[in-house]
């Protein structure tokens, strides 16, 4: 399992729209937990930095060019 797939599996909830969004960032801690952060929230304060999952609607959604998880931080 890739690091990204591993982090997704540790989220504890399906990410919903965020899964296929180019603004999605995944962080996995050394303790083995993971969380999803919205990269667009850094420039758009109306969006939650840590969206409540699953996200069903989001005006900031932008489809990722590929579906490969990105933004893994350790
Ligand atoms: S813009 Fe919306 S759909 Fe995209 S990562 Fe942020 S909260 Fe999720």
């Amino acid at each position: 399992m890739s690091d990204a797939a591993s982090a997704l599996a540790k989220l504890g909830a399906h990410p919903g729209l965020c899964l296929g969004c180019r603004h999605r960032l995944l962080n996995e801690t050394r303790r083995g937990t993971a969380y999803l952060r919205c990269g667009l929230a850094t420039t758009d304060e109306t969006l939650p930095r840590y969206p409540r999952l699953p996200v069903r609607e989001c005006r900031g959604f932008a489809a990722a060019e590929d579906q490969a998880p990105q933004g893994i931080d350790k």
Side-chain angles (χ1 to χ4, degrees), residues 15 17-19 21-25 36-41 47-48 51 55 57-62:
L17 271 181
C18 297
L19 180 63
C21 180
R22 71 176 64 175
H23 301 299
R24 168 180 52 82
L25 299 170
L36 186 148
R37 184 163 62 86
C38 176
L40 189 58
L47 292 172
V55 171
E57 295 180 13
C58 181
R59 62 176 178 71
F61 174 81

